[in-house]
Amino acid sequence: MSETLIFRGTRLLGAESADILVRDGLIADVGTGLSAAGARVIDAAGLVALPGLVDLHTHLREPGYEASETVLTGTRAAAAGGFTAVFAMPNTSPVADSAGVVEQELALGEAAGYATVQPIGAVTVGQKGERLAELGAMATSRARVRVFSDDGFCVWDPLIMRRALEYVKSFDGVIAQHAQDPRLTEGAQMNEGAVSAELGLVGWPAVAEESIIARDVLLAEHVGSRLHVCHLSTAGSVDLIRWAKKRGIAVTAEVTPHHLLLTDELARGYDARFKVNPPLRREEDVLAVREGLADGTIDIVATDHAPHPSESKACEWPAAANGMVGLESALRVVHEAMVETGLLGWADVARVLSTTPARIGSLAGHGTPIAAGQPAELTLYDADARGTFGEGDLRGQGTNSPYLGRPLPGQVRWTVHRGYATLADGEIVEEPNA
């Protein structure tokens, strides 16, 4: 239930000190010395105030794979990480390729109350790449889907990709492509390079990502439609997106926190927590995607939060599932990789983790400025804290985090969604909208 809150002494986007008054689901006022009858006053001195974080790429697994995650547990993880909205990828069972399934996901998110759950619709029926899914029906459903993806699979057929781009143009939708040529990555286990050669593991070459991006930006230019590139991971991909934007092509791109920080050297221990698709790349690629995010070539950071049961990771590398959980750690990793290196300021963090993902996904009420009259979607972050990331920091079902045991800066202290706290002083609020 919404209550009146005053956050005293926050640092707006890491800059000037201000109080934030939240009432009736809105930011009622921003200023100094604020007061309101019956308000709960919270000492937020020095906490960085950001608009609630928005993740354009989350796997919530429900319906069908509740052993890995549910909408409830996944959105609790989101709240712990400062996220007030998540876009749910369609690789569920049944696949989210119809109005009925996306409306079910929307309803599950509303019932949980921890974050706005915006479904992403599949591009093709069953994500099989053979024929277009019910794009129009999903767009006009109560879920109002605007992002479509077969993530986990590439829309490999160029004719189907063209048709999808043409279809969504009519309602300003966007196709989010998992850029992976399937023929070039058959049996791939990790990044193709010196480390894969030493370990004797089949490599996933950079060109398998880059060739699909090159094709799709040209298709998007030809059609005049919007393309979004999921989890970009190579230096060559950054160059391609930079080139496409200079041509005026309507393309956006995301990078994951793990591709901003981790490299393929971590595969040497055969710890399957570091197995992911696309794979961890070389140090040169990490530096290139950081630069691309800093100069605006890459538009956003998206987690690709991918929980798995423990047995799917506690096994030999070739048999292990791809994927990492990332909602709880994302802001802290961006802090280390981008803020502490001087590549981004806190206003930039708000742009790449809130404002722009909400804009790409056409999600109203999120990513808005911290100003009077705006929806009360807020993240309050202690940038001065430091700590070792552990299983106690994980609030979803998945424990397959690559950061366990790693020191990370910062700590999310408060998350406010629709005017009520979902995370209060670092602790998940039970039944937040009760």
Side-chain angles (χ1 to χ4, degrees), residues 75-243:
T75 53
R76 284 170 66 96
F83 289 89
T84 60
V86 296
F87 283 73
M89 278 295 177
N91 56 336
T92 51
S93 182
V95 169
D97 58 5
S98 67
V101 180
V102 296
E103 288 183 348
Q104 177 188 0
E105 292 177 328
L106 184 74
L108 288 167
E110 290 170 344
Y114 284 97
T116 296
V117 174
Q118 175 57 50
I120 293 175
V123 176
T124 65
V125 175
Q127 295 186 300
K128 294 180 179 179
E130 296 170 354
R131 56 191 175 95
L132 290 182
E134 300 175 7
L135 308 185
M138 289 186 279
T140 56
S141 72
R142 196 171 74 85
R144 199 180 170 275
V145 177
R146 289 296 180 270
V147 183
F148 299 87
S149 181
D150 274 359
D151 184 64
F153 305 95
C154 180
V155 181
W156 185 70
D157 186 318
L159 181 60
I160 289 178
M161 187 63 180
R162 175 184 175 173
R163 295 288 182 251
L165 288 165
E166 288 172 335
Y167 200 113
V168 302
K169 182 181 177 182
S170 64
F171 49 79
D172 194 32
V174 59
I175 301 297
Q177 176 69 294
H178 176 116
Q180 176 187 359
D181 188 303
R183 293 299 302 278
L184 291 173
T185 54
E186 289 180 2
Q189 294 293 317
M190 64 170 295
N191 179 60
E192 181 179 283
V195 179
S196 67
E198 289 179 38
L199 298 180
L201 293 173
V202 177
W204 199 120
V207 71
E209 175 174 301
E210 295 157 7
S211 60
I212 296 296
I213 293 174
R215 182 201 74 177
D216 285 353
V217 294
L218 293 175
L219 284 174
E221 180 179 43
H222 179 72
V223 172
S225 189
R226 290 203 293 145
L227 169 72
H228 180 73
V229 178
C230 296
H231 43 50
L232 180 153
S233 66
T234 77
S237 295
V238 177
D239 291 339
L240 285 164
I241 298 297
R242 189 175 284 124
W243 173 85

Side-chain angles (χ1 to χ4, degrees), residues 20 55 91 124 132 166 179 194 218 224 272 305 327 350 382 397:
I20 302 172
D55 186 19
N91 56 336
T124 65
L132 290 182
E166 288 172 335
L218 293 175
H305 176 82
L327 285 167
D382 184 354
Q397 286 180 204

Side-chain angles (χ1 to χ4, degrees), residues 58 60 69-79 86 305 327 396-397:
T58 302
L60 294 179
E69 191 79 282
T70 67
V71 170
L72 175 61
T73 61
T75 53
R76 284 170 66 96
V86 296
H305 176 82
L327 285 167
Q397 286 180 204

